[in-house]
Structure formats: structure tokens, C-alpha cells
Amino acid sequence: MWAAGGVVWRPKGSGSAGADAVGNGDLEIAVVHRPKYDDWTLPKGKAESGETLIDTAVREIAEETGQHVILGRHLDDVHYDLGSTRKHVRYWSARALDGEFVAGSEVDELRWLSVDKARETLSYPLDRAILEEFVRLPADLHTFLLVRHAKAGRRSTYKGDDRLRPLDKLGRAQADALAPLLVAFGARRVHSADRVRCEQTLEPLRERLGVELHSEPDLSEETYRTNPVAAQRRILQLATDATSTPAVCSQGKVIPPLMDWWADRDAIALPKASNRKGSVWVLSLHDGRLVAADHIAGPLPTA
């Protein structure tokens, strides 16, 4: 059984999460009390049918804390036995935006605590371990979303200019599912390699946000093959603008070598990644440098 939740945080004393950068000593953590168990935990809950774990985390945090959040880096998965059932919980960093707590039968109290006080208050070692992973890096990281285009049939069977090859039926479903996923991580800008399948992958997101799609010719496979430095330079330019979170769509022969170069440049280890169509890298940056990288294999629920 899978569940999901997060370390929900906000700047200390703000009442909500403002835009100013904060250090880990200047923030508050949400912990919740469950009367059924008389314990204090991080907000989390079971996945429902048809949900991704990202959907679950956002929904459960809202239900237990009243907070609307933006997810950040993946913190860890924990595993434990609950009677005869093996339970798995995935946690993200989650920045509180706004909302109001309402006590209920499952959660009857919410407290905003300093990191030290939250550590003392949490009832379970696994929750405290998630909190320690959260404070390992600054809370206020900049997110960068790098997307491989959704499914677009086979290049070998497409008749016509391959630059114009559109998404197929599954690809359109993936594009629709990518929009709420990318919004959950705070996407506000839309950039795409100049290929129809890349542009169509982010079109539902662009429509949802009501923004312009910015064309990125340096991020196409053909340009990358002859001039990878141009793609590297452009990706760093996009990452430098920390005023809002970009969603950037590129192609399968660009993203893996580009990610390897970026990780080597900033000395981080990458998790294993399938590089499937519709997959997403959730990248966390601090002062312009890559400090964490998480990979989502696809936008559609797996069960």
C-alpha cells in the first residue's frame, strides 16, 4: 500500500509563504495530531485509485492541514509494516502558500513549529528521519522542470517533415496529465524545443497557465548533435532566472547527455532514470547550482 505526504513549511511567523528567501532556521514546519492514534506526524495519506503519488501528496496535505502547497524536491520513501500490510510512503518538500486548518476526526490539531521543536514533537523515528533529510539542504530551492516530449508514434513510419510529427493518442493523454503534475511543482513558464511534438506536450500546461510558449531551437536533437555547448549555455540561462519555475520540453537524445553534463558540472549524483517519453526531471537549484535531481518516469497513474 502506497501513501504520500510532505514536510510542509513556511517562513517563520509569516502566516503564509512569502517570496523572500529563508534559511532553515527561519522557517516553521507543520505537524499534525491524529486523535485515533494520539500521535504527532507529518501530513500524509493513502493513495486513491487513479491518482499519482504527486496527486496524493497534494490532496492529503490539503485535507490534513488546509494548506495549498507547491512541491519541491523528493525527500525519501519510507517503508514499514502495518499489521499484515507493508506500507510505503513517499515524501516531498512542500512550501505552504495559503489555506486555513479545520479540525476533523482524522486530524484535530495543527502546529507550526521550529525545526528543533518539530523534531522533538514528532512521534516516530521515520518522520524524524524525513525531517533530517529535509534540512540537509536549504528549504527555499529553485525548481526547474525538464520534460521529455510525450509519445508521438514512430519516426520510421511518419511520412513528412519529422519536425512536424504530432503526438499520438497516448501522447495527448500524457500531455493532459503533465499539466497538473507540473503545476504541482510550481510551473509558471513554458519553454519548448522547436518541434511540434515538444510544443504539443506542454500545450495543455500553457493553456492552463495562460502564458506564452517560448521556442528553444538550441534544445532540439539536431542542434544538440552539432552544438551541445549551445544547449548547455541555454539551459543554464533558463535556470538562472529564479523568479518563477520553468517547464522545459526537449527530446530523448538531448536530455540524458545534458543531464550528465549538468550533474558532472555541479558534482551531484543522478538517480537512475528511464528517459521514457513523458518523463520529468524535477531539478532543485541553489545559487544557480544543481543540488538535487529527482526523476518521474511518467505522468499517468501506474495502477
Side-chain angles (χ1 to χ4, degrees), residues 19-49:
D20 294 338
V22 293
N24 286 349
D26 300 315
L27 54 84
E28 298 173 325
I29 305 296
V31 298
V32 296
H33 182 260
R34 302 185 300 177
K36 180 178 179 180
Y37 304 103
D38 189 23
D39 61 6
W40 289 93
T41 72
L42 300 172
K44 65 182 181 297
K46 292 184 293 186
E48 295 181 351
S49 177

Side-chain angles (χ1 to χ4, degrees), residues 27-93:
L27 54 84
E28 298 173 325
I29 305 296
V31 298
V32 296
H33 182 260
R34 302 185 300 177
K36 180 178 179 180
Y37 304 103
D38 189 23
D39 61 6
W40 289 93
T41 72
L42 300 172
K44 65 182 181 297
K46 292 184 293 186
E48 295 181 351
S49 177
E51 281 188 327
T52 66
L53 290 179
I54 294 160
D55 296 330
T56 302
V58 172
R59 176 183 55 77
E60 284 288 341
I61 288 169
E63 290 178 2
E64 294 199 350
T65 69
Q67 292 293 310
H68 304 106
V69 299
I70 289 179
L71 300 182
R73 68 184 179 99
H74 169 229
L75 298 174
D76 207 349
D77 298 346
V78 302
H79 316 277
Y80 56 93
D81 293 322
L82 189 64
S84 60
T85 302
R86 186 69 169 166
K87 190 167 184 178
H88 315 273
V89 188
R90 180 159 296 168
Y91 289 97
W92 281 270
S93 169

Side-chain angles (χ1 to χ4, degrees), residues 253-267:
K253 293 182 181 178
V254 176
I255 293 174
L258 185 60
M259 284 302 306
D260 287 341
W261 166 83
W262 204 351
D264 183 65
R265 171 188 179 272
D266 291 345

Side-chain angles (χ1 to χ4, degrees), residues 8 103 120 209 243:
V8 181
E120 296 172 5
L209 296 177
T243 58

Side-chain angles (χ1 to χ4, degrees), residues 1-253:
M1 179 194 345
W2 273 95
V7 175
V8 181
W9 66 276
R10 69 185 189 186
K12 187 179 294 184
S14 67
S16 63
D20 294 338
V22 293
N24 286 349
D26 300 315
L27 54 84
E28 298 173 325
I29 305 296
V31 298
V32 296
H33 182 260
R34 302 185 300 177
K36 180 178 179 180
Y37 304 103
D38 189 23
D39 61 6
W40 289 93
T41 72
L42 300 172
K44 65 182 181 297
K46 292 184 293 186
E48 295 181 351
S49 177
E51 281 188 327
T52 66
L53 290 179
I54 294 160
D55 296 330
T56 302
V58 172
R59 176 183 55 77
E60 284 288 341
I61 288 169
E63 290 178 2
E64 294 199 350
T65 69
Q67 292 293 310
H68 304 106
V69 299
I70 289 179
L71 300 182
R73 68 184 179 99
H74 169 229
L75 298 174
D76 207 349
D77 298 346
V78 302
H79 316 277
Y80 56 93
D81 293 322
L82 189 64
S84 60
T85 302
R86 186 69 169 166
K87 190 167 184 178
H88 315 273
V89 188
R90 180 159 296 168
Y91 289 97
W92 281 270
S93 169
R95 181 167 186 159
L97 296 177
D98 55 46
E100 184 176 350
F101 173 72
V102 177
S105 59
E106 292 189 15
V107 172
D108 63 351
E109 189 175 351
L110 166 70
R111 292 181 183 175
W112 289 100
L113 304 174
S114 69
V115 170
D116 288 343
K117 189 62 178 178
R119 189 183 291 115
E120 296 172 5
T121 302
L122 289 168
S123 299
Y124 303 110
L126 288 176
D127 279 3
R128 292 193 290 273
I130 292 296
L131 181 60
E132 292 309 312
E133 172 56 26
F134 171 77
V135 300
R136 183 178 63 84
L137 293 173
D140 198 21
L141 299 174
H142 173 53
T143 299
F144 186 104
L145 302 163
L146 183 58
V147 184
R148 185 182 177 189
H149 71 75
K151 286 190 66 67
R154 293 179 178 274
R155 182 180 307 209
S156 59
T157 60
Y158 181 70
K159 294 181 173 27
D161 187 339
D162 188 64
R163 294 173 297 179
L164 305 179
R165 179 158 48 101
L167 299 183
D168 59 21
K169 182 177 179 180
L170 176 56
R172 292 192 296 273
Q174 289 176 319
D176 286 340
L178 276 166
L181 183 156
L182 296 169
V183 166
F185 287 97
R188 292 293 179 269
R189 292 185 281 132
V190 180
H191 300 257
S192 171
D194 58 347
R195 299 294 179 267
V196 165
R197 55 193 178 274
C198 294
E199 294 167 353
Q200 290 181 340
T201 296
L202 294 186
E203 179 58 18
L205 174 67
R206 189 204 64 75
E207 288 186 355
R208 179 165 175 165
L209 296 177
V211 298
E212 178 184 357
L213 183 146
H214 302 277
S215 183
E216 300 293 346
D218 286 341
L219 299 182
S220 71
E221 286 183 349
E222 290 80 1
T223 302
Y224 189 86
R225 186 183 307 119
T226 59
N227 189 10
V229 173
Q232 294 164 3
R233 183 185 305 116
R234 182 57 182 150
I235 212 76
L236 292 181
Q237 289 171 344
L238 292 171
T240 298
D241 181 0
T243 58
S244 60
T245 296
V248 180
C249 188
S250 186
Q251 298 176 265
K253 293 182 181 178

